[in-house]
């Protein structure tokens, strides 16, 4: 068995026991899967857009959301594929209305969510919203959707919502497999295709059961705006690489690029790792205050093209993965903080025949290297930095 397969095998075996109390439920999920539990046709490539959480947390209002939509368009980011404008926790009143419906916060969202959806749709964008598979959301400022799945899914559809992030707080100790598929079915009945983002923090290894349930699934708890936390999110996510495919992606959490606590070269690593890992590319900074470096990183069309490649194969450590047209994306990462390193990609480790001659395109320098490579490629990489290439076999 090759190393990657062996790792997956070991993980699966280890997980078996932690999942056995859910095995009956998993069978349920499987039998529903035969009728395609989640057949919404969405997420054929990883979703791209913006989400309010990483910068604003629950302190949001409709002005912030509208402004984010405006800047996505005016900055040119929407044309590069960033089309989801996602409202996270904090958009609702603490109590449901007399009919049990969720109510937008009257002070901070006085125009309501439908008006926001209409607003972003007119700009050619899509609107995302947030709910929780529990009794209250994580910020505890609004009710959760547990027990109200069908009603809330219908509400979201009636507002014109296109994306639902479904969190995992205050869940009464009920296992994710007893909560998330109920919302999947509710969304399927709601009459509008809604991208379904499972956010159970990797708790019950959702990569193993997520494909018929959601369009993506978080593989760990939250990211933070620092190097260690960022790199450890993608390392955990890497374990499940074999489970990612068009329609269902591993989600190492949203981007911190532009939030200010990492260096530019560290944000380049962050964005490159997320792109090559086919992670959702959800910007998490204040778009109105983006500096030139932030916009340059988020706008790198060559790196975005790796993320959005139709083959949809997640790259693995040593951080390489196949692209369409027999090309290979490779990312050479120097994790040392204090010294530059020579890093080598051996063709055998990145899925190329050792005799293959390739042309290398540097995705951050935007240049095709004059030298051709065969068998391996060695480059010098600065501390906490990376080089990212697309290798194209030449005849
Ligand atoms: C929304 O929040 C921003 C930033 O905190 C603030 O400047 C603005 O006045 C708020 N607008 C509304 C309508 O609450």
């Amino acid at each position: 068995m090759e190393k990657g397969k062996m790792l997956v095998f070991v993980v699966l075996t280890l997980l078996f026991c932690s999942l056995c109390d859910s095995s009956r439920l998993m069978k349920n999920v499987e039998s529903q899967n035969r009728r395609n539990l989640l057949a919404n046709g969405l997420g054929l490539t990883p979703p791209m857009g913006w989400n309010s959480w990483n910068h604003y947390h629950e302190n949001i209002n409709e002005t912030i959301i509208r402004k984010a939509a405006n800047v996505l368009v005016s900055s040119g980011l929407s044309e590069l594929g960033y089309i989801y404008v996602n409202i996270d926790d904090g958009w609702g009143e603490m109590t449901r209305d007399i009919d049990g419906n969720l109510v937008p916060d009257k002070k901070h969202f006085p125009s309501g969510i439908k008006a926001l959806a209409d607003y972003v749709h007119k700009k050619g964008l899509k609107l995302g919203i947030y709910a929780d598979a529990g009794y209250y959301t994580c910020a505890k400022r609004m009710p959760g959707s547990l027990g109200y799945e069908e009603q809330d899914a219908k509400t979201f559809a009636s507002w014109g919502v296109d994306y639902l992030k479904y969190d995992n707080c205050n869940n009464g100790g009920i296992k994710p497999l007893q909560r998330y598929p109920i919302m999947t079915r509710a969304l399927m009945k709601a009459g509008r295709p809604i991208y379904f983002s499972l956010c159970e923090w990797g708790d019950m290894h959702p990569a193993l059961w997520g494909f018929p349930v959601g369009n993506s699934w978080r593989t760990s708890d939250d990211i933070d705006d620092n190097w260690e936390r960022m790199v450890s999110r993608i390392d955990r996510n890497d374990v499940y690489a074999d489970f990612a495919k068009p329609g269902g992606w591993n989600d190492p959490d949203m981007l911190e690029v532009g939030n200010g606590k990492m260096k530019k070269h560290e944000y380049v690593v962050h964005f490159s790792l997320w792109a090559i890992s086919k992670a959702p590319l959800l910007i998490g900074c204040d778009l109105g205050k983006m500096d030139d470096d932030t916009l340059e990183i988020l706008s790198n069309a060559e790196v975005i093209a790796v993320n959005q490649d139709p083959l949809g194969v997640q790259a693995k450590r040593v951080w390489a993965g196949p692209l369409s047209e027999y090309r290979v994306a490779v990312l050479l990462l120097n994790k040392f903080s204090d010294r530059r390193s020579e890093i080598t990609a051996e063709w055998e480790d990145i899925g190329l025949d050792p005799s293959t001659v390739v042309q290398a395109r540097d995705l951050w320098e935007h240049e095709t290297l004059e030298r051709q490579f065969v068998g391996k490629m060695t480059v010098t990489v600065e501390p906490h930095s990376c080089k990212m290439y697309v290798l194209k076999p030449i005849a």
Side-chain angles (χ1 to χ4, degrees):
M1 241 187 291
E2 64 180 87
K3 246 197 281 174
K5 286 220 178 85
M6 185 68 189
L7 180 61
V8 169
F9 177 76
V10 170
V11 168
L12 283 172
T13 311
L14 286 175
L15 293 186
F16 184 74
C17 277
S18 71
L19 284 170
C20 30
D21 60 341
S22 312
S23 64
R24 199 157 3 113
L25 280 155
M26 281 187 76
K27 284 215 184 72
N28 279 341
V29 172
E30 273 162 29
S31 64
Q32 282 148 359
N33 189 20
R34 275 182 221 119
R35 291 187 292 119
N36 247 336
L37 193 52
L38 183 71
N40 60 12
L42 300 174
L44 295 181
T45 59
M48 296 173 64
W50 174 86
N51 173 294
S52 54
W53 184 259
N54 281 356
H55 186 78
Y56 295 97
H57 294 254
E58 70 268 33
N59 308 311
I60 50 173
N61 60 48
E62 61 182 46
T63 318
I64 291 171
I65 306 299
R66 272 204 219 99
K67 201 166 130 197
N70 295 348
V71 181
L72 278 183
V73 174
S74 65
S75 62
L77 287 169
S78 63
E79 265 179 36
L80 290 162
Y82 297 93
I83 55 162
Y84 286 104
V85 180
N86 292 354
I87 310 169
D88 210 281
D89 202 353
W91 60 266
E93 286 287 330
M94 189 62 180
T95 46
R96 292 172 178 269
D97 72 10
I98 195 155
D99 299 316
N101 297 309
L102 290 169
V103 182
D105 182 309
K106 294 191 176 85
K107 180 158 171 242
H108 299 102
F109 289 85
S111 315
I113 304 298
K114 170 108 181 32
L116 266 185
D118 293 344
Y119 184 85
V120 309
H121 289 158
K122 279 211 192 83
K123 294 182 165 290
L125 305 173
K126 293 179 181 294
L127 190 78
I129 207 160
Y130 166 98
D132 186 274
Y135 301 110
Y136 295 99
T137 64
C138 295
K140 281 207 172 171
R141 289 231 311 241
M142 52 182 291
S145 294
L146 192 61
Y148 291 85
E149 290 86 352
E150 285 206 9
Q151 184 166 3
D152 291 352
K154 282 203 187 104
T155 300
F156 299 147
S158 75
W159 287 343
V161 163
D162 305 293
Y163 183 115
L164 173 65
K165 172 179 171 181
Y166 204 38
D167 216 339
N168 194 31
C169 286
N170 308 305
N171 58 45
I174 307 166
K175 294 282 181 221
L177 273 163
Q178 285 173 286
R179 291 177 286 116
Y180 282 79
I182 300 172
M183 184 55 94
T184 311
R185 284 192 292 278
L187 289 172
M188 287 301 289
K189 283 204 253 175
R192 182 179 176 86
I194 297 180
Y195 182 103
F196 191 27
S197 158
L198 314 181
C199 182
E200 60 83 276
W201 320 317
D203 185 29
M204 294 297 288
H205 310 283
L208 305 188
W209 49 265
F211 190 77
V213 181
N215 297 111
S216 57
W217 42 85
R218 281 276 299 278
T219 51
S220 72
D221 46 2
D222 287 7
I223 192 171
D224 200 358
D225 190 11
N226 69 68
W227 173 265
E228 301 303 333
R229 191 79 183 167
M230 181 273 288
V231 167
S232 59
R233 294 315 85 192
I234 208 70
D235 283 346
R236 289 196 198 183
N237 193 72
D238 176 56
V239 174
Y240 306 107
D242 284 334
F243 295 95
K245 58 182 165 175
W249 308 103
N250 291 310
D251 177 3
D253 205 1
M254 302 174 291
L255 298 168
E256 293 282 7
V257 178
N259 277 330
K261 297 211 177 105
M262 283 190 260
K263 303 262 172 51
K264 180 184 181 187
H265 53 91
E266 295 175 325
Y267 283 137
V268 165
V269 170
H270 178 16
F271 192 69
S272 302
L273 282 169
W274 260 239
I276 205 169
S277 302
K278 314 286 158 167
L281 297 180
L282 295 172
I283 301 168
C285 68
D286 176 355
L287 289 172
K289 297 217 177 92
M290 258 188 309
D291 58 17
D292 291 347
D293 287 346
T294 301
L295 186 59
E296 183 200 330
I297 294 168
L298 297 172
S299 303
N300 188 325
E302 297 193 75
V303 174
I304 291 170
V306 170
N307 180 257
Q308 298 289 304
D309 187 82
L311 204 58
V313 178
Q314 179 174 330
K316 300 180 195 176
R317 273 190 311 213
V318 293
W319 304 117
L323 298 174
S324 51
E325 295 164 6
Y326 305 103
R327 295 167 307 148
V328 175
V330 58
L331 186 161
L332 302 169
L333 170 64
N334 181 4
K335 283 192 176 179
F336 290 118
S337 61
D338 56 350
R339 60 192 134 121
R340 48 167 70 148
S341 279
E342 289 221 321
I343 301 181
T344 299
E346 300 274 358
W347 275 201
E348 288 172 22
D349 292 332
I350 64 173
L352 284 172
D353 186 277
S355 64
T356 309
V357 181
V358 306
Q359 188 181 64
R361 173 80 182 170
D362 185 321
L363 303 192
W364 286 104
E365 295 299 328
H366 300 293
E367 66 179 13
T368 303
L369 305 192
E370 267 172 44
R371 213 195 121 187
Q372 294 168 351
F373 297 86
V374 58
K376 65 178 181 181
M377 175 180 198
T378 300
V379 295
T380 304
V381 186
E382 298 296 320
H384 276 194
S385 299
C386 71
K387 292 275 190 181
M388 190 172 179
Y389 301 96
V390 167
L391 307 181
K392 187 170 139 196
I394 49 181

